[in-house]
Amino acid sequence: MTPKGDNVVVSNMKLERMLSMKGGKGESSYANNSEAQALHAKSMLHLLEETLNGVQLNSPEVPFVVVDLGCSCGTNTLFIVDVIIKHMIKRYDALGSEPPEFSAFFSDLPSNDFNTLFQLLPPLAKEGGSMEECLASDNHRSYFAAGVPGSFYRRLFPANSIDVFYSAFSLHWLSQVPECVLDKRSTAYNKGRVFIHGASETTAKAYKKQFQTDLAGFLRSRSKEMKRGGSMFLVCLGRTSVDPTDQGGAGLLFGTHFQDAWDDLIQEGLISSEKRDKFNIPVYAPSLQDFKEVVEADGSFTINKLEVFKGGSPLVVSQPDDAAEVGRALANSCRSVAGVLVDAHIGDQLSEELFARVEHRATSQAKELVEQLQFFHIVASLSFA
């Protein structure tokens, strides 16, 4: 018999020590379920290059430093870092200048699967070789690489040391679920739900406050670490509605079939409603105004571009009319980003049961999912003058 969720012992670890995209290379891993993120990132390359054109070029004697914040563990981060460095090399070449040496830092929470990431990392052209040799070699990286574990809501790097910060599909993850959302005595208690979508106005305000507090910490930290003349390119889930309880694509991902699957487990006697109510997805898709208020209040960065960008569906399927493939894709998409948290809360066995029900429900509504599930992103290009 499957154990009740209440009997599963969950470590009292902080979210920071636990949250990660699902590691490894299995069917539900992030590495195998991040093709949509890759497509969305590629559709924004022209915006990224506009940002890079505004970065101040320093002496070739000084290393040029790039950081991906929230890099996760797939090939997407390697592709983007390569794009950034090759674009900067072209800018140096256009000036008739030798390019500097490049360093790339891949940063994420300590629980990120850095092992899988670094196994994907291409080698330098020649051990002990010059940077010029590296730049001239195909299928080899043109930069020195290192991993930096830690929360990007705090300081991660020495002062005045970074030229370009890049962060995509990460800033909508909160540093924590607001405490009042899980407190039965609070008016913001999110009873009966595992996500903000469709919740009360009071719950939504708590999520918004947490997002803005976190983003303020993020900007404060980057303003210390960035070199003068540096730039940031930031992408996170966003929404077009002014109503924060309407979380758009994120709401469809976490607030419908995923939500209903928790209710299934309760009705089947596998977990209690109290167990469900102690779990909330720490994600907030901000509006443009939510984001802008924090950047302007911080005052350290010039806004070059701040817009809502239509990113498309998170589901990448070869046969959109194949309901089983669509259902499996949605379940794997949910699991690749939230599975680690679910596992920690109810245990591996019940997690399997939950995502099987997500897949079943999504399969039965496959046509609607294909037609309706669309993500919008906040895209921000910021300069540090």
Side-chain angles (χ1 to χ4, degrees):
M1 179 180 176
T2 305
K4 278 183 174 285
D6 304 76
N7 298 328
V8 177
V9 177
V10 178
S11 170
N12 191 29
M13 294 159 59
K14 289 183 178 180
L15 183 64
E16 180 181 323
R17 305 296 303 180
M18 180 171 37
L19 177 62
S20 69
M21 303 300 97
K22 195 166 183 66
K25 299 175 183 177
E27 182 184 355
S28 61
S29 67
Y30 184 81
N32 284 327
N33 289 278
S34 53
E35 188 178 348
Q37 288 92 327
L39 293 172
H40 298 176
K42 288 175 182 177
S43 71
M44 302 177 202
L45 287 182
H46 63 293
L47 300 176
L48 171 60
E49 290 171 350
E50 286 178 13
T51 299
L52 297 176
N53 286 337
V55 176
Q56 179 178 308
L57 300 184
N58 296 312
S59 166
E61 301 299 316
V62 180
F64 191 98
V65 184
V66 177
V67 177
D68 185 355
L69 296 167
C71 62
S72 194
C73 53
T75 58
N76 292 351
T77 182
L78 304 179
F79 171 79
I80 287 295
V81 165
D82 201 51
V83 166
I84 291 171
I85 290 175
K86 284 180 177 176
H87 188 85
M88 297 312 299
I89 290 169
K90 287 180 183 177
R91 286 194 58 203
Y92 277 96
D93 286 345
L95 295 175
S97 173
E98 287 291 318
E101 292 191 327
F102 289 91
S103 290
F105 291 107
F106 298 91
S107 182
D108 212 315
L109 295 175
S111 48
N112 183 57
D113 186 1
F114 284 103
N115 285 338
T116 292
L117 174 61
F118 289 137
Q119 286 168 8
L120 296 170
L121 193 68
L124 280 167
K126 179 182 176 183
E127 186 175 353
S130 68
M131 184 55 68
E132 288 76 12
E133 291 173 314
C134 296
L135 294 173
S137 300
D138 292 331
N139 302 318
H140 289 76
R141 58 187 161 92
S142 53
Y143 54 89
F144 298 101
V148 179
S151 170
F152 55 37
Y153 294 127
R154 295 195 301 274
R155 286 285 303 277
L156 291 167
F157 301 97
N160 308 311
S161 63
I162 310 300
D163 293 280
V164 173
F165 281 110
Y166 175 91
S167 181
F169 319 122
S170 298
L171 278 167
H172 48 263
W173 286 97
L174 305 177
S175 65
Q176 65 180 61
V177 175
E179 292 181 6
C180 58
V181 167
L182 303 176
D183 184 353
K184 289 182 178 180
R185 301 164 297 178
S186 170
T187 57
Y189 182 46
N190 200 20
K191 182 175 176 58
R193 299 185 184 278
V194 295
F195 188 47
I196 183 182
H197 190 69
S200 71
E201 183 180 348
T202 311
T203 302
K205 284 182 178 178
Y207 266 82
K208 176 184 174 180
K209 181 180 179 182
Q210 185 65 56
F211 170 79
Q212 292 192 317
T213 299
D214 287 342
L215 182 58
F218 176 92
L219 294 175
R220 190 163 52 248
S221 297
R222 304 297 82 78
S223 69
K224 300 290 186 184
E225 298 163 347
M226 183 167 277
K227 296 177 186 176
R228 291 289 171 184
S231 291
M232 285 200 293
F233 187 78
L234 310 176
V235 181
C236 70
L237 284 182
R239 68 177 198 274
T240 54
S241 172
V242 295
D243 178 6
T245 67
D246 179 1
Q247 287 282 291
L252 284 175
L253 190 64
F254 293 124
T256 54
H257 305 302
F258 181 73
Q259 170 71 56
D260 293 339
W262 285 87
D263 298 339
D264 289 341
L265 295 188
I266 293 170
Q267 291 168 11
E268 295 168 33
L270 297 177
I271 65 170
S272 66
S273 58
E274 289 79 11
K275 189 70 176 178
R276 174 201 57 201
D277 293 344
K278 290 178 182 177
F279 181 88
N280 264 238
I281 293 287
V283 164
Y284 180 80
S287 68
L288 209 58
Q289 188 61 28
D290 292 341
F291 202 101
K292 187 177 181 181
E293 286 172 3
V294 182
V295 178
E296 291 182 340
D298 174 82
S300 301
F301 295 91
T302 300
I303 300 175
N304 303 316
K305 188 180 291 291
L306 183 60
E307 63 182 48
V308 177
F309 188 92
K310 186 176 180 179
S313 173
L315 304 180
V316 179
V317 292
S318 57
Q319 299 290 333
D321 56 350
D322 182 343
E325 184 185 0
V326 172
R328 187 164 54 254
L330 182 92
N332 284 338
S333 182
C334 275
R335 194 167 195 175
S336 70
V337 297
V340 170
L341 296 180
V342 176
D343 292 352
H345 191 68
I346 60 176
D348 294 351
Q349 277 186 284
L350 284 171
S351 183
E352 287 285 348
E353 298 283 347
L354 178 80
F355 287 106
R357 285 153 182 76
V358 172
E359 181 174 342
H360 175 74
R361 284 182 166 276
T363 299
S364 68
Q365 300 292 320
K367 186 173 185 293
E368 291 82 355
L369 280 170
V370 171
E371 292 173 350
Q372 298 174 13
L373 187 52
Q374 297 286 322
F375 275 178
F376 287 86
H377 302 291
I378 302 291
V379 179
S381 173
L382 309 177
S383 293
F384 189 56

